[in-house]
Amino acid sequence: MRIALPFEPRQHLASENPSGFHIVNAEFLHALARHGRSGELLLLAARANAASPGLGGEGAIKQTRVLDILELVRQQPSPEVDLLHDLSCQVDRALSVRGHWNGPAFPLTFVSHGLVLQLSLRALAFPLLLGGIQPFDSLICISHGIKRGLERLLDSAAEAFARAAGTDAPRLRYRGRLDVIHWAVDSERFGSVDRREARSALGIPQDAFVLLSIGRISPFSKGDLLPLLGLFRDLRASNPERNLRLVIAGSVDVASYNTVLQGHARALGVTEHIQWLGGVEPSRRHLVHAAADVFVSLNDATGEGFGLTPLEALASGVPQVVSDWDGMREMLVHGETGFLVPTLWANCDDELILHGLVGGQAHRDLWTAQSIATDMTAMRRALQSLIDSPELRARMGEASRLRAARMFSWKEIIRRYEELWQELVGLARASPPARAHMLPEGIHGVLGHYAAEQLEPGTSLKLTEAGERLLTKGEFVPLYGQPPPVEPERVVALLGALGARGGPCTLATLEQDTHATWGTGHSWFLRHVLWLLKFGLVEVERPLPGVG
């Protein structure tokens, strides 16, 4: 089986302070190369980004190639592909690639890492309902909670379309599948670090009882840490004989919020007992988890669907005390690997729709998050029980390691992906051939009338003095953009063909003269000609004023 994967190095290779989304996507590629049995992996990239990510595999994926996506769709026939998998859930991009591919339709799979409602409505619901999804396509959700949310979102969007279109219009529906495959974690790496070594490396006292909060720090898109500071103050007061320490790790999204956190910690008198590690590189995250006695997380972000840091804590054998929120209850087992603390919410966000339109999405997200509560009394009891009982911590830690290795290892998750892919490929091959329509994307098709004239096959073109200087003296216009909009060698080929004609020729003739340069890339040819016109290297041959 040959898997195509849109590839953006900045998105899939870990950066200085990557999010869980970036880390998981980077690890997925490496895990697929290591454990996959699919055959060949084709990474589809723009020309400027077509650098190998350095994947190495022990499995049957013996060949991984980075290919220019534009060249692929121009080839006749297109290379054979069994399935396209989009890690970023860019539905419109995947539909566009399949729509331009010359060959049998193949399944599309996407990964929904979370639901940010307004963005998901535009980027997911609209193309899923309108963009040519087939029964052998699947939107893969990282939790059953996200799947349920997507079902509600698609139903609501379809109902809104139906009300707007009237009773005689056909009812829209999502024709694809919603499958659930969780995130994974390198359980071997996270479960192999000695606690004393980790604390020594991070400067954490060996005798401390460490509560760990790790993850990007944001009151808009992550959990609010202010309630945790108050809880930590109370726990210290209740346990004066213990050296309780709160370790907070993660990059800060909003500087003003960091100022609030630091000020509140001073007001509570706990500053000297808190260690702020800042952003942690992916290569050191396992050290941070290994140094902890308990992992703690208060969730109030509607965009959180599963969570990488609690999964890392699970693999590290660190008991978890977390808000009972969406995918947490699928990942962790209450009373076995840690404690799920009750959360509370209510339908109180109707006017926030207008507030978001006026004040911005961030304000709406903040106000929404501030209405989602975790039972702090229950959280305090759960943490105290772990402080009091080394035996309970050890039992939950061992259960956590076993669960992570059994259910969330990359080998297991890649196996589940490939089982799903094989099933979808079989459905696609058994389906009648059909060219799925795409949502309108072409700018010219909608706005072409803005221009006074259109470039036609019969348009007569001729070389200008500037074009001749480029050919003879190499006076090239600076190119910019990644990738740049034109290629110098193709510019020279066009100008050379015009010069060889010794006079004006039609656009159709020029394309015929340079056919070997373009192959089937008609749009590529037109864009180069228009670029030459833009910079005065070529001009349209027009009748003299007053003649004819």
Side-chain angles (χ1 to χ4, degrees):
M1 183 164 58
R2 184 177 292 183
I3 306 296
L5 231 143
F7 176 64
E8 302 164 44
R10 289 179 300 174
Q11 191 166 20
H12 300 315
L13 300 183
S15 58
E16 183 178 348
N17 284 309
S19 66
F21 163 80
H22 295 116
I23 293 172
V24 167
N25 282 348
E27 292 186 355
F28 177 89
L29 284 173
H30 288 272
L32 184 59
R34 180 182 181 187
H35 302 296
R37 297 289 181 265
S38 295
E40 185 176 13
L41 186 61
L42 301 179
L43 302 180
L44 310 181
R47 287 173 293 122
N49 295 328
S52 173
L55 303 179
E58 301 169 4
I61 293 186
K62 301 300 182 184
Q63 188 173 13
T64 300
R65 292 188 289 156
V66 181
L67 303 175
D68 180 355
I69 190 170
L70 295 177
E71 291 300 324
L72 281 174
V73 298
R74 292 180 189 135
Q75 291 183 25
Q76 298 287 350
S78 297
E80 182 179 340
V81 170
D82 295 299
L83 179 139
L84 187 147
H85 180 62
D86 196 307
L87 290 166
S88 304
C89 208
Q90 293 190 31
V91 177
D92 53 349
R93 174 175 66 183
L95 286 166
S96 181
V97 170
R98 183 168 68 183
H100 284 93
W101 213 283
N102 295 299
F106 46 81
L108 305 176
T109 55
F110 321 91
V111 185
S112 176
H113 299 274
L115 285 176
V116 180
L117 192 57
Q118 294 303 312
L119 178 62
S120 297
L121 184 64
R122 296 189 300 269
L124 283 180
F126 290 171
L128 289 176
L129 292 172
L130 300 169
I133 290 291
Q134 299 296 310
F136 44 77
D137 298 330
S138 177
L139 179 56
I140 300 169
C141 309
I142 64 171
S143 74
H144 289 278
I146 288 180
K147 178 182 177 181
R148 186 181 179 191
L150 277 168
E151 289 171 339
R152 290 180 169 182
L153 180 66
L154 291 168
D155 286 344
S156 297
E159 183 62 34
F161 281 129
R163 288 196 302 269
T167 56
D168 296 334
R171 169 89 183 210
L172 292 174
R173 63 184 180 88
Y174 172 57
R175 300 179 63 216
R177 296 170 40 150
L178 293 173
D179 293 283
V180 176
I181 301 180
H182 299 305
W183 275 357
V185 66
D186 186 343
S187 53
E188 295 179 3
R189 180 165 68 93
F190 277 88
S192 62
V193 185
D194 178 75
R195 174 170 294 172
R196 294 189 65 84
E197 293 179 6
R199 291 193 174 186
S200 177
L202 297 169
I204 298 174
Q206 296 292 346
D207 66 339
F209 187 95
V210 175
L211 307 179
L212 171 65
S213 172
I214 179 172
R216 185 161 47 86
I217 298 173
S218 170
F220 302 100
S221 59
K222 294 291 177 181
D224 191 347
L225 292 182
L226 286 174
L228 179 59
L229 297 183
L231 175 62
F232 179 61
R233 188 269 311 270
D234 294 343
L235 285 170
R236 281 196 52 78
S238 301
N239 298 271
E241 75 288 355
R242 304 298 298 266
N243 182 15
L244 292 188
R245 193 171 189 86
L246 176 61
V247 173
I248 299 176
S251 58
V252 179
D253 275 7
V254 184
S256 59
Y257 179 63
N258 189 46
T259 302
V260 171
L261 286 175
Q262 301 280 355
H264 193 50
R266 287 193 298 271
L268 294 172
V270 295
T271 298
E272 63 183 79
H273 307 290
I274 299 177
Q275 187 164 344
W276 309 82
L277 295 183
V280 180
E281 297 177 0
S283 61
R284 293 176 59 83
R285 289 165 72 100
H286 62 300
L287 291 175
V288 179
H289 282 282
D293 290 288
V294 178
F295 170 86
V296 59
S297 176
L298 280 76
N299 286 317
D300 57 24
T302 55
E304 281 290 283
F306 198 63
L308 180 60
T309 54
L311 188 56
E312 292 171 343
L314 192 79
S316 300
V318 177
Q320 317 88 41
V321 179
V322 302
S323 301
D324 189 353
W325 182 256
D326 190 19
M328 295 294 181
R329 63 183 69 105
E330 300 172 38
M331 182 194 314
L332 315 175
V333 181
H334 180 71
E336 180 178 320
T337 69
F339 296 101
L340 293 168
V341 182
T343 53
L344 195 65
W345 199 11
N347 186 3
C348 58
D349 62 347
D350 49 352
E351 77 273 17
L352 295 188
I353 297 174
L354 292 176
H355 189 279
L357 294 175
V358 177
Q361 184 65 36
H363 291 281
R364 179 179 177 180
D365 290 344
L366 176 62
W367 283 31
T368 299
Q370 292 297 304
S371 69
I372 298 169
T374 297
D375 187 332
M376 299 305 292
T377 300
M379 178 161 277
R380 180 177 176 177
R381 285 199 299 263
L383 287 170
Q384 188 63 56
S385 67
L386 288 166
I387 293 170
D388 292 338
S389 176
E391 295 80 10
L392 179 61
R393 296 198 303 273
R395 185 170 70 250
M396 287 185 165
E398 182 61 21
S400 296
R401 287 192 187 92
L402 292 174
R403 181 171 175 81
R406 184 178 70 254
M407 296 186 61
F408 302 110
S409 71
W410 274 114
K411 186 175 182 179
E412 169 62 19
I413 295 304
I414 293 299
R415 181 191 65 79
R416 293 185 60 190
Y417 265 99
E418 292 194 320
E419 284 184 354
L420 174 62
W421 288 343
Q422 290 284 2
E423 180 184 354
L424 297 176
V425 168
L427 291 174
R429 290 173 178 172
S431 300
R435 174 63 61 183
H437 72 279
M438 298 180 296
L439 291 172
E441 298 177 1
I443 301 172
H444 181 269
V446 178
L447 304 178
H449 60 284
Y450 282 12
E453 300 178 30
Q454 300 295 314
L455 192 63
E456 303 289 353
T459 301
S460 182
L461 303 171
K462 67 178 182 180
L463 205 60
T464 65
E465 290 183 6
E468 291 175 351
R469 285 197 302 270
L470 189 152
L471 282 176
T472 58
K473 299 180 181 180
E475 292 184 2
F476 215 97
V477 177
L479 293 177
Y480 55 93
Q482 293 295 328
V486 296
E487 295 179 355
E489 61 272 19
R490 302 200 187 202
V491 166
V492 172
L494 278 173
L495 294 177
L498 267 176
R501 279 280 170 182
C505 74
T506 66
L507 179 70
T509 300
L510 181 60
E511 184 171 17
Q512 187 176 19
D513 288 350
T514 59
H515 177 76
T517 301
W518 309 102
T520 58
H522 179 64
S523 293
W524 197 221
F525 164 76
L526 291 178
R527 286 201 302 276
H528 274 68
V529 172
L530 288 162
W531 185 87
L532 293 173
L533 288 164
K534 180 181 186 70
F535 286 95
L537 302 171
V538 168
E539 65 180 344
V540 174
E541 174 78 351
R542 304 180 189 278
L544 294 174
V547 177

